Short mmCIF file of all heavy atoms in Angstrom, two decimals:
data_model
loop_
_atom_site.label_atom_id
_atom_site.label_comp_id
_atom_site.label_asym_id
_atom_site.label_seq_id
_atom_site.Cartn_x
_atom_site.Cartn_y
_atom_site.Cartn_z
N GLY A 1586 4.12 6.82 27.01
CA GLY A 1586 2.77 7.47 27.27
C GLY A 1586 2.65 7.61 28.75
O GLY A 1586 3.53 8.05 29.48
N ALA A 1587 1.29 7.47 29.12
CA ALA A 1587 0.92 7.55 30.58
C ALA A 1587 1.72 6.46 31.38
O ALA A 1587 2.10 5.44 30.70
CB ALA A 1587 -0.55 7.43 30.68
N SER A 1588 1.72 6.64 32.65
CA SER A 1588 2.62 5.69 33.42
C SER A 1588 1.94 4.23 33.30
O SER A 1588 2.73 3.33 33.39
CB SER A 1588 2.35 6.08 34.92
OG SER A 1588 1.05 6.17 35.32
N GLU A 1589 0.65 4.01 33.07
CA GLU A 1589 0.15 2.72 32.96
C GLU A 1589 0.38 2.09 31.64
O GLU A 1589 0.33 0.82 31.52
CB GLU A 1589 -1.43 2.73 33.17
CG GLU A 1589 -2.17 3.56 32.25
CD GLU A 1589 -2.40 5.02 32.74
OE1 GLU A 1589 -1.61 5.44 33.54
OE2 GLU A 1589 -3.31 5.52 32.16
N THR A 1590 0.78 2.89 30.56
CA THR A 1590 1.04 2.25 29.29
C THR A 1590 2.58 1.98 29.13
O THR A 1590 2.83 1.12 28.42
CB THR A 1590 0.52 3.19 28.14
OG1 THR A 1590 1.26 4.39 28.28
CG2 THR A 1590 -0.99 3.38 28.27
N GLY A 1591 3.42 2.86 29.77
CA GLY A 1591 4.82 2.55 29.72
C GLY A 1591 5.50 3.16 28.36
O GLY A 1591 4.85 4.03 27.73
N CYS A 1592 6.63 2.63 28.09
CA CYS A 1592 7.43 3.07 27.02
C CYS A 1592 7.71 2.02 26.02
O CYS A 1592 7.72 0.79 26.37
CB CYS A 1592 8.78 3.55 27.54
SG CYS A 1592 8.66 5.01 28.70
N PHE A 1593 7.84 2.42 24.75
CA PHE A 1593 8.07 1.46 23.65
C PHE A 1593 9.12 1.94 22.71
O PHE A 1593 9.26 3.06 22.42
CB PHE A 1593 6.77 1.20 22.95
CG PHE A 1593 5.63 0.69 23.85
CD1 PHE A 1593 4.85 1.48 24.50
CD2 PHE A 1593 5.51 -0.73 24.00
CE1 PHE A 1593 3.87 1.00 25.44
CE2 PHE A 1593 4.40 -1.16 24.80
CZ PHE A 1593 3.66 -0.29 25.52
N LEU A 1594 9.93 0.95 22.19
CA LEU A 1594 10.75 1.21 21.08
C LEU A 1594 10.09 1.52 19.74
O LEU A 1594 9.02 0.95 19.51
CB LEU A 1594 11.79 0.13 20.84
CG LEU A 1594 12.84 -0.21 21.92
CD1 LEU A 1594 13.56 -1.49 21.60
CD2 LEU A 1594 13.90 1.04 22.00
N MET A 1595 10.56 2.50 19.01
CA MET A 1595 9.99 2.78 17.70
C MET A 1595 11.10 2.79 16.76
O MET A 1595 12.22 3.24 16.97
CB MET A 1595 9.29 4.08 17.75
CG MET A 1595 10.05 5.26 18.07
SD MET A 1595 9.04 6.81 18.19
CE MET A 1595 10.30 8.00 18.77
N ASP A 1596 10.75 2.51 15.36
CA ASP A 1596 11.78 2.53 14.36
C ASP A 1596 11.68 3.88 13.59
O ASP A 1596 10.91 4.78 14.09
CB ASP A 1596 11.50 1.39 13.39
CG ASP A 1596 10.22 1.45 12.57
OD1 ASP A 1596 9.48 2.49 12.81
OD2 ASP A 1596 10.01 0.50 11.77
N GLU A 1597 12.36 4.10 12.49
CA GLU A 1597 12.40 5.31 11.82
C GLU A 1597 11.15 5.76 11.13
O GLU A 1597 10.87 6.82 10.64
CB GLU A 1597 13.55 5.27 10.67
CG GLU A 1597 13.23 4.35 9.51
CD GLU A 1597 13.50 2.92 9.80
OE1 GLU A 1597 13.97 2.54 10.90
OE2 GLU A 1597 13.32 2.14 8.84
N GLU A 1598 10.13 4.71 11.00
CA GLU A 1598 8.74 5.04 10.55
C GLU A 1598 7.73 5.37 11.70
O GLU A 1598 6.64 5.49 11.37
CB GLU A 1598 8.27 3.87 9.65
CG GLU A 1598 9.23 3.66 8.48
CD GLU A 1598 8.65 2.45 7.70
OE1 GLU A 1598 7.91 1.70 8.17
OE2 GLU A 1598 9.19 2.29 6.46
N GLY A 1599 8.33 5.34 12.89
CA GLY A 1599 7.41 5.60 14.07
C GLY A 1599 6.57 4.48 14.43
O GLY A 1599 5.61 4.50 15.17
N VAL A 1600 7.06 3.22 13.93
CA VAL A 1600 6.16 2.04 14.33
C VAL A 1600 6.75 1.49 15.75
O VAL A 1600 8.00 1.32 15.91
CB VAL A 1600 6.46 0.82 13.22
CG1 VAL A 1600 5.75 -0.42 13.67
CG2 VAL A 1600 5.85 1.38 12.00
N LEU A 1601 5.88 1.15 16.55
CA LEU A 1601 6.17 0.69 17.96
C LEU A 1601 6.26 -0.78 17.81
O LEU A 1601 5.34 -1.51 17.22
CB LEU A 1601 5.12 1.04 19.04
CG LEU A 1601 4.59 2.52 19.00
CD1 LEU A 1601 3.50 2.72 19.99
CD2 LEU A 1601 5.79 3.36 19.37
N TYR A 1602 7.32 -1.38 18.46
CA TYR A 1602 7.56 -2.76 18.23
C TYR A 1602 7.98 -3.57 19.48
O TYR A 1602 8.03 -4.81 19.44
CB TYR A 1602 8.51 -3.10 17.09
CG TYR A 1602 9.95 -2.57 17.30
CD1 TYR A 1602 10.83 -3.44 17.87
CD2 TYR A 1602 10.32 -1.25 16.88
CE1 TYR A 1602 12.23 -2.93 17.93
CE2 TYR A 1602 11.58 -0.81 17.02
CZ TYR A 1602 12.58 -1.62 17.64
OH TYR A 1602 13.79 -1.16 17.67
N ALA A 1603 8.31 -2.89 20.51
CA ALA A 1603 8.90 -3.66 21.74
C ALA A 1603 8.88 -2.68 22.96
O ALA A 1603 8.94 -1.46 22.84
CB ALA A 1603 10.26 -4.25 21.46
#
Side-chain angles (χ1 to χ4, degrees):
S1588 57
E1589 61 269 19
T1590 59
C1592 301
F1593 299 89
L1594 287 173
M1595 60 182 174
D1596 67 0
E1597 71 281 356
E1598 296 177 346
V1600 176
L1601 307 176
Y1602 64 91

